Amino acid sequence: MQQFIGLPGSGGIAIGPAWIYHPQQVKVDRTTVQDTALEWESLQTAMSMARQQLVSLEARANEMVGPEEAAIFGAHLMFLDDEELLDSLKNMIIAKHLNAKAAIHDAFGYYAEALLGLEEEYFKARAQDVTDVGQRVLRCLEGALDVPSTKLVKPSIILAEDLTPSDTIQFDREMILGIATVKGGPTSHTAILARALGVPAIVSVPLDLDDILP
């Protein structure tokens, strides 16, 4: 029997079938735009849509796990109001004529990389949150609804490259037997949510998801 050792994210033992989660990916093209005002307006619409989704997620989390953990999504909302990030986005679109998708990819990416470069694990873990919000805005720019790209149909252990807090809170709790991710750490918001949900979780597991048979 193969054994994989990772870091504890949430205590407990889980036995059941594996379900591999592949999150929705948005293709980011890079183009030069002429109507920068329209492009900026499109981005603002996407940001507004993302805010509405995060408010709904915060309410869902508050109902499922309580206000302390729900504050995770309040923190996500703060990223959307970060003046330095907004200035960076506006400069890329208005001054550099970069399309909104590429601007989101770059601005949120730079922010996440800056956090990963810090020594404290807490701040490194926040890089995942920045990436989560950036992906949300990208999906909103395409008009995507805030639903998982695939759905659990039977109780399973979720295997994933990584799970965002948004992913974790949107799964049906009754279907989650456990969680194992290739990336992430014990201080990640996903691990915090797993503990609050009472779901056994392990992170930083050296899995090759392509070799796992569901």
Side-chain angles (χ1 to χ4, degrees):
M1 180 183 294
Q2 282 186 300
Q3 292 186 339
F4 301 94
I5 299 175
L7 299 175
S10 177
I13 297 174
I15 300 173
W19 183 75
I20 302 174
Y21 176 62
H22 296 290
Q24 177 185 358
Q25 297 293 330
V26 178
K27 183 180 179 181
V28 177
D29 54 346
R30 308 183 73 86
T31 60
T32 299
V33 296
Q34 299 303 319
D35 193 342
T36 56
L38 181 61
E39 197 74 4
W40 177 245
E41 183 180 344
S42 297
L43 175 58
Q44 288 180 306
T45 300
M47 298 277 274
S48 178
M49 185 176 176
R51 285 189 184 90
Q52 293 173 8
Q53 291 179 358
L54 286 169
V55 168
S56 295
L57 280 178
E58 187 174 18
R60 175 178 171 83
N62 187 61
E63 182 179 337
M64 290 178 66
V65 293
E68 185 173 346
E69 288 76 16
I72 290 170
F73 298 102
H76 282 202
L77 280 164
M78 292 175 65
F79 290 131
L80 295 178
D81 294 321
D82 185 283
E83 290 187 8
E84 186 174 346
L85 182 61
L86 291 172
D87 286 344
S88 178
L89 286 166
K90 191 169 187 177
N91 180 64
M92 289 180 184
I93 294 174
I94 301 299
K96 298 183 178 180
H97 290 255
L98 192 62
N99 62 309
K101 279 188 179 179
I104 293 165
H105 175 272
D106 290 357
F108 281 89
Y110 294 151
Y111 199 153
E113 285 298 323
L115 289 171
L116 286 171
L118 300 176
E119 292 185 4
E120 292 186 36
E121 288 299 320
Y122 173 84
F123 291 110
K124 289 183 179 181
R126 298 294 73 76
Q128 183 199 43
D129 296 307
V130 174
T131 302
D132 188 1
V133 177
Q135 285 296 312
R136 176 175 300 283
V137 178
L138 281 172
R139 292 193 299 271
C140 287
L141 197 63
E142 291 193 336
L145 297 176
D146 192 25
V147 294
S149 54
T150 53
K151 187 176 181 180
L152 268 171
V153 295
K154 63 180 179 180
S156 304
I157 297 172
I158 300 173
L159 307 182
E161 185 74 18
D162 205 357
L163 280 179
T164 68
S166 301
D167 294 327
T168 307
I169 204 65
Q170 290 194 92
F171 290 126
D172 184 346
R173 171 63 186 90
E174 299 303 315
M175 295 291 181
I176 310 174
L177 298 178
I179 293 171
T181 62
V182 177
K183 297 179 180 179
T187 61
S188 71
H189 277 154
T190 299
I192 293 170
L193 284 174
R195 291 194 289 271
L197 290 166
V199 174
I202 187 168
V203 296
S204 296
V205 185
L207 285 171
D208 186 340
L209 296 178
D210 292 333
D211 291 340
I212 303 298
L213 295 176

